[in-house]
Amino acid sequence: MLKGHLDAIVLAALAGEPAHGYAIIEEIRRRSGGVFNLPEGTVYPALHRLEKAGAVNSDWTTAPNGRRRRVYTLTPQGRASLDHHRDVWRDFARAIDTMMASGDPGAPLGDGPPWPTR
Amino acid sequence: MLKGHLDAIVLAALAGEPAHGYAIIEEIRRRSGGVFNLPEGTVYPALHRLEKAGAVNSDWTTAPNGRRRRVYTLTPQGRASLDHHRDVWRDFARAIDTMMASGDPGAPLGDGPPWPTR
DNA sequence: ATCCTATGCCTAGTAATTCTAGGTATGGAA
DNA sequence: TTCCATACCTAGAATTACTAGGCATAGGAT
C-alpha cells in the first residue's frame, strides 16, 4: 500500500537520473529497504499518468543487450512537483508522528510541544 | 487524505482517554495542527468498523447539557492494534524519508546510511 | 533443442479506502 | 425565531493501487 504517495515515490526514484520502468521498480525496492515492493501494474500506469501530466518525458531506447526500454526523465515541472510532494509529506509525517506520540505509554503527557523535535 | 492511516489516527486519538465521535474529530484536528480536518462521514464509519473489529467499545451517555453521546473506549485489543500501527508507520515513514532524501538537491549523495538518523 | 527464469513492457477490471452529500435532532445565542 | 454549533448517521461516488492476466526476448540450465 502506497497510501497516496505513489507519485512522490516514483518522482523521487527519478530524481537522481533517468531510468526505465523496470529499473525504477528495483530502485524503489532497494532504496526503501524492501518496504516498497511495487508490482508492475502499479508503476507502469503511474508513469503513463505522470507523463500525461508533464512531470516526466519518455524515450524508447535499445539497451546494450538489444532490448527495448522506455527511459523516463524528470522534467522541470516534475522536479517542482517532487518538491511540492516533499513539503506535503513533511507536514503529513509530522502530523502523524504527533498523533502517534500522544498517548504513547512511554511518553509523558502534557509537557512541551507535542512534536518530536527531530 | 488519510492515506490508509485512518484507523491508526483514530486509535491514537483514543489512546489517552475515552471520547465521543465529535470530540475525536476535534481532537484529531487539534493534535495534527489542523492538517487533519476529517469529515464526519469519514470518522463515524471508521468508529463503527473499529467497534465491529473489537478495537473499541461504545457506550451511550448523556452529557451535562442533556445531549446523547456515544463514547468510545479503546479495548486492550485496540491498544495492541495501535502499537502495531505505530510499528507499521515507523517503517513506512522511514522508507519514504529515504526515498525523499535521495536526490534531494541539498543532500550529498552516496554518503553514510540513507536514513535520516532520527 | 527446449525449458525456465529474468528482463521488460502493457491493460482491464477489481478491491479497498475515504469523501461527498445528504439526512436527523437539540441546545443556546442573537 | 432563526441560526449556528453540537452530535449522530448512511448510501453512493470518487480515488487509488493491486490482481491477474497478456506479449516478447535473452541467456542459462537441462
Side-chain angles (χ1 to χ4, degrees):
Chain A
M1 272 285 196
L2 279 299
K3 330 224 169 171
H5 299 285
L6 174 57
D7 286 5
I9 291 169
V10 170
L11 291 175
L14 280 172
E17 52 182 3
H20 63 283
Y22 202 81
I24 290 173
I25 291 172
E26 293 189 317
E27 177 70 4
I28 290 173
R29 181 171 44 232
R30 192 185 61 77
R31 269 203 226 167
S32 70
V35 175
F36 299 139
N37 198 349
L38 307 191
E40 302 176 359
T42 293
V43 174
Y44 287 120
L47 286 168
H48 300 162
R49 197 160 23 82
L50 288 170
E51 182 165 32
K52 209 171 194 174
V56 301
N57 285 330
S58 74
D59 294 288
W60 282 101
T61 63
T62 303
N65 56 13
R67 287 173 190 248
R68 286 170 71 251
R69 288 173 174 173
R70 195 164 174 181
V71 173
Y72 290 89
T73 309
L74 210 59
T75 66
Q77 188 185 326
R79 190 162 292 278
S81 176
L82 174 56
D83 288 342
H84 176 69
H85 277 298
R86 254 196 271 264
D87 291 342
V88 171
W89 165 250
R90 278 197 240 278
D91 289 344
F92 179 77
R94 193 173 65 180
I96 300 262
D97 277 343
T98 306
M99 293 295 309
M100 293 297 202
S102 318
D104 188 328
L109 281 80
D111 61 334
W115 302 280
T117 48
R118 48 167 176 173
Chain B
M1 271 288 194
L2 279 300
K3 328 225 171 173
H5 298 284
L6 174 58
D7 286 7
I9 291 169
V10 171
L11 291 175
L14 281 172
E17 51 182 2
H20 63 284
Y22 202 82
I24 290 173
I25 290 172
E26 293 189 317
E27 176 72 3
I28 290 172
R29 179 170 46 231
R30 192 186 61 77
R31 269 203 226 168
S32 71
V35 176
F36 298 138
N37 197 351
L38 307 191
E40 302 175 359
T42 294
V43 175
Y44 286 121
L47 286 167
H48 300 162
R49 195 160 25 81
L50 288 170
E51 181 165 32
K52 209 171 193 173
V56 301
N57 286 330
S58 74
D59 294 289
W60 283 101
T61 63
T62 302
N65 55 12
R67 289 177 189 242
R68 288 170 70 249
R69 287 174 175 173
R70 195 165 172 181
V71 173
Y72 291 89
T73 308
L74 211 57
T75 66
Q77 187 184 327
R79 188 162 292 278
S81 176
L82 173 57
D83 289 341
H84 176 67
H85 278 297
R86 252 195 273 264
D87 291 341
V88 171
W89 164 252
R90 276 196 242 278
D91 289 344
F92 179 77
R94 193 174 65 180
I96 300 261
D97 277 343
T98 306
M99 293 296 308
M100 293 296 201
S102 318
D104 188 328
L109 281 80
D111 61 334
W115 302 280
T117 49
R118 47 168 179 171

